[in-house]
Amino acid sequence: MKSLLIKDTTVDERMQIVKEALGGFGNCDCEGIDMDDMYDDYIFGRRELADINREFSQQHAGAVKAEDREKQSGCTMH
């Protein structure tokens, strides 16, 4: 598997990585979180993907559940 680090990827590659990872989310807003904007810092080389995900997990641990997200916002994970 190719490295996902900013230093090893181009902006276009990072856009594709995020697009593929979000697959089922599309352009929706889940639980007040704009999933597209959430990864802008990674796409534009400001923060690593792991750091963004870690911060999200710390902020929302136990608060966001997939089944609740599907019921409330219509977002689904594929």
Side-chain angles (χ1 to χ4, degrees):
M1 181 168 138
K2 184 179 181 208
S3 171
L4 301 178
L5 295 175
I6 290 169
K7 68 181 181 116
D8 298 328
T9 56
T10 66
V11 171
D12 289 335
E13 288 172 324
R14 291 190 296 271
M15 280 188 202
Q16 188 62 32
I17 290 164
V18 170
K19 180 180 176 183
E20 289 174 9
L22 294 179
F25 286 107
N27 290 325
C28 70
D29 183 2
C30 296
E31 295 289 319
I33 301 159
D34 186 328
M35 300 305 285
D36 290 327
D37 291 343
M38 182 173 152
Y39 292 104
D40 279 352
D41 280 350
Y42 172 66
I43 291 170
F44 298 109
R46 295 184 288 258
R47 294 177 57 210
E48 292 293 349
L49 192 56
D51 295 332
I52 294 168
N53 289 335
R54 184 179 312 104
E55 180 181 304
F56 178 87
S57 294
Q58 290 170 343
Q59 290 176 353
H60 300 284
V64 177
K65 299 177 187 160
E67 57 272 5
D68 292 342
R69 184 172 44 240
E70 290 172 8
K71 291 176 192 171
Q72 293 175 3
S73 67
C75 294
T76 58
M77 296 190 304
H78 295 116

